[in-house]
């Protein structure tokens, strides 16, 4: 055990980060803060200089001997850069941080790269653009960091990658590359395209129609604001898995449109109802604190849209000794009130509701 | 002018509410609180008794002479009930509160109802289920209340409906019935079905996949948790307009699936990129305080997941004299940190960021 941790320590002492955009620069900042010697490289000398100026690490030198190399370049060129790094540093362990994991692995295998020293990863940091100017040492704190295993390397051999994720405050999650891609197609990539398609319809909408937009529309289309340049690469690299999610969705959409074209038919009513029930069932499977989570109960408090009201509410909830598990705000433009949906443990609901009404707050029923 | 307001006052003195679910009972509670004499009726005697017990009004009597009748029954039976009320009370002005406006109007016209005394309406109260037990006098405060005009009656003749909306704290919005239905199909009904279809895909997902669910998936599928019984009626009654939104969406989805099936082709890349850009353009058209609104700038503050931290943050923002325009929380299950995205006027951003860092908060870049 002593030998192994000594080996790990050696591996992470010199880390080479290739690609100094938001992710690469943030990794550099975070590892530098942990005392690692970080080397920053980038195809663009000016981008590299910027990341170095921000403190992400030092410029490469001829005698660099990195134990670990992190490739943080756009999805399109991941395999090329990983292959080049594996060849140039024949002792180093190499990972990448792209959102798709199977395509680069297969490209590397096809060209005969040394896969015993490569294990892809995917930090789900959620803000994959912005460049080194947006980099933060704590970008990965509390986020899942997927380690995409394959049969050419053991997780134990790749322990330095897991240690890096831990050093950056992330939560390592081991997952086969194919499983990763299928999973993110379902929970991230297909939803991105569906949100884009739905938002796209709004281009033709009247101002009157858009003026009626409520929280439901805002929520369903929010991620349609994402960066097209990045997403076209992600979707292209995971195309088969994304299509596998969208194809049955398209078939069900076809059936629904047919039902809407003949809405009085009993079969149509049933088809529409079944689609809605299926949606209920699907959304209930999402874990987490939001809305559907049966672990928590919620109440809705009316808050005047003026400075300090929400802070006062949350302070008073704290004074009641209640731990708020989640908070969701809702308010329409041009109105003077908002609503705060407060999630708490079920046993805290009734005492909190009584205490808030006592303190003069107006409670509404939770919407769902 | 004196005559008109006297007439209006007479009209609203006795209000008959037919249907005593959440909306009907809330209208009864709100108008009773304003001093109106409210009569509550319902096809179900027990439902009616419950609403009366909650204070929504009194039971009908043989000599009732309501000036205004509000029909708050399920969409399927709106036209039947409105027609019956118009016949039974030949002096009364009648409105309904269903989410679809053209179908009941056309059904009433087809059966020769007196449309000079009917004007449909739609309070966008957002919580259209729950029964009288969930009713609140302030359910409509700050919400748009659409008055769905048609050529058989002037808005002036229907002033008592607008006054009722104002009495309940709502914001009256005049809109042709057909425009209303087309608008809500775009901003509410089609998004509901798309969210249901997307959430439906999650039924087949692995636990591993669902475990990677992030805020994007939660947002895009939240409304898929809605009540199927209510929505099947709404969608059935507005089927043609909803289909008109979904048909081009289906065509674009077909194109996208074809592009994903041949992802290396330049035309495929372009098709995917164009869909993403179209989504950017669509979402930018949504007015309001959230995300895409260019009137506000935002910053993201890291908050420890412990009691009182968010309240402390909001209190300190208030102490800095800054009015928070919006707040969005993000946190993953099983992690100990969360992120609060604070929207403020652009000129307040830099001073607030500096003050919060001074006070020891960790700021991140806003995600978009």
């Amino acid at each position: 055990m002593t030998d192994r941790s000594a080996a790990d320590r050696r591996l992470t002492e010199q880390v080479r980060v290739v690609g100094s955009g938001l992710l690469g620069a943030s990794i550099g900042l975070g590892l530098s803060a942990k005392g690692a010697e970080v080397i920053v490289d980038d195809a663009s000398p000016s981008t590299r200089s910027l990341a170095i100026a921000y403190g992400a690490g030092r410029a490469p030198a001829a005698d660099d001997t990195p134990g670990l190399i992190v490739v943080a370049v756009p999805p399109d060129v991941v395999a090329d850069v990983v292959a080049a790094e594996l060849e140039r540093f024949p002792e180093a362990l190499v990972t990448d941080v792209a959102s798709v994991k199977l395509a680069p692995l297969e490209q590397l295998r096809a060209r005969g790269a040394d896969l015993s020293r490569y294990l892809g990863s995917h930090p789900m940091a959620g803000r994959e653009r912005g460049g080194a100017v947006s980099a933060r040492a704590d970008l990965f704190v509390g986020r899942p960091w997927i380690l995409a295993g394959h049969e050419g390397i053991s997780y134990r051999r790749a322990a330095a990658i897991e240690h890096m994720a831990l050093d950056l405050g992330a939560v390592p999650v081991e997952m086969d590359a194919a499983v990763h891609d299928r999973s993110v197609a379902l929970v991230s990539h297909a939803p991105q395209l569906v949100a884009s398609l739905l938002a796209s319809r709004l281009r033709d909408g009247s101002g009157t129609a858009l003026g009626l937009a409520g929280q439901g529309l805002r929520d369903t289309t929010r991620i349609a604001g994402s960066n097209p340049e990045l997403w076209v690469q992600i979707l292209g690299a995971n195309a088969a898995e994304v299509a596998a999610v969208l194809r049955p969705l398209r078939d069900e959409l076809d059936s629904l449109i047919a039902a809407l074209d003949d809405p009085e038919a009993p079969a149509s009513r049933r088809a529409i109802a079944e689609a809605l029930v299926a949606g209920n069932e699907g959304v209930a499977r999402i874990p987490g604190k939001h809305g559907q989570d049966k672990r928590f109960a919620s109440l809705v408090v009316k808050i005047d849209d003026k400075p300090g009201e929400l802070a006062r509410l949350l302070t008073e909830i704290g004074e009641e000794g209640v731990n708020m598990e989640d908070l969701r705000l809702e308010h329409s433009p041009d109105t003077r009130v908002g609503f705060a949906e407060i999630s708490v443990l079920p046993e805290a609901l009734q005492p909190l509701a009584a205490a808030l009404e006592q303190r003069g707050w107006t409670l509404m029923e939770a919407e769902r």
Side-chain angles (χ1 to χ4, degrees), chain A:
Chain A
M1 296 301 283
T2 312
D3 283 357
R4 186 177 145 222
S5 68
D8 291 339
R9 192 171 315 118
R10 181 184 56 75
L11 278 177
T12 52
E13 263 169 9
Q14 198 180 80
V15 180
R16 174 172 156 84
V17 179
V18 184
S20 54
L22 174 66
L23 289 185
S26 294
I27 291 167
L29 282 172
L31 294 179
S32 296
K34 286 282 180 177
E37 179 187 355
V38 178
I39 304 153
V40 176
D41 208 347
D42 198 292
S44 155
S46 67
T47 302
R48 186 180 83 186
S49 299
L50 185 66
I52 291 170
Y54 273 89
R58 66 160 171 84
D63 61 348
D64 287 341
T65 55
L68 176 63
I69 298 172
V70 183
V71 173
V73 300
D76 269 2
V77 293
V78 162
D80 287 345
V81 176
V82 168
E85 296 294 320
L86 285 167
E87 281 183 24
R88 181 168 163 197
F89 298 99
E91 303 294 320
L93 183 67
V94 179
T95 190
D96 73 293
V97 295
S99 304
V100 177
K101 300 272 56 95
L102 201 57
L105 178 65
E106 286 177 346
Q107 290 162 25
L108 288 164
R109 184 176 288 130
R111 66 168 76 185
D114 180 5
L115 293 181
S116 74
R117 294 186 289 116
Y118 166 75
L119 189 134
S121 71
H122 177 202
M124 302 195 72
R127 57 198 75 207
E128 302 180 13
R129 62 175 176 145
V133 294
S134 303
R136 305 290 314 209
D138 55 7
L139 184 67
F140 309 101
V141 173
R143 304 282 184 174
W145 192 310
I146 292 154
L147 307 173
H150 59 87
E151 68 284 6
I153 183 173
S154 69
Y155 281 115
R156 179 171 170 165
R157 172 76 179 83
I161 301 170
E162 180 176 358
H163 292 174
M164 171 186 69
L166 290 169
D167 280 348
L168 293 168
V171 182
V173 180
E174 296 180 356
M175 189 179 299
D176 172 81
V179 172
H180 168 272
D181 286 5
R182 192 171 315 129
S183 298
V184 293
L186 180 67
V187 304
S188 170
H189 302 177
Q192 174 62 52
L193 273 183
V194 170
S196 295
L197 287 171
L198 181 60
S200 167
R201 293 293 90 222
L202 302 176
R203 291 180 304 162
D204 308 328
S206 66
T208 300
L210 273 300
L212 298 180
Q215 197 59 39
L217 183 69
R218 291 191 177 88
D219 285 351
T220 48
T221 59
R222 184 179 61 82
I223 59 172
S226 297
N227 180 349
E229 289 77 14
L230 175 68
W231 273 96
V232 75
Q233 292 192 28
I234 294 173
L235 294 165
N238 203 22
E241 293 291 357
V242 177
V245 178
L246 294 181
R247 208 170 276 115
L249 192 154
R250 189 263 319 273
D251 294 344
E252 292 184 7
L253 178 56
D254 277 336
S255 302
L256 267 179
I257 291 172
L260 291 167
D261 284 342
D262 184 16
E264 299 307 321
S268 296
R269 285 277 163 133
R270 198 175 65 233
I272 297 170
E274 283 172 359
L276 293 162
V277 169
N280 283 181
E281 293 169 0
V283 81
R285 292 203 61 209
I286 303 177
K289 294 182 168 187
H290 286 259
Q292 297 74 26
D293 196 323
K294 298 298 180 286
R295 288 179 299 166
F296 302 116
S298 65
L299 51 81
V300 176
V301 185
K302 192 175 73 154
I303 43 174
D304 290 339
D305 191 8
K306 64 184 185 188
E309 281 296 280
L310 184 60
R312 185 167 70 85
L313 172 64
L314 301 189
T315 300
E316 294 188 12
I317 290 171
E319 287 169 3
E320 295 295 334
V322 173
N323 191 9
M324 186 177 70
E325 301 293 342
D326 199 8
L327 167 66
R328 215 169 61 78
L329 288 188
E330 184 189 344
H331 51 179
S332 305
D334 310 321
T335 63
R336 303 310 303 163
V337 294
F339 304 91
E341 180 173 348
I342 311 285
S343 298
V344 297
L345 290 173
E347 58 269 29
L349 188 71
Q350 285 312 322
L352 177 62
L356 291 179
E357 293 209 307
Q358 179 77 25
R359 286 168 178 265
W361 295 97
T362 301
L363 305 196
M364 333 280 291
E365 285 294 313
E367 209 161 313
R368 74 175 48 88

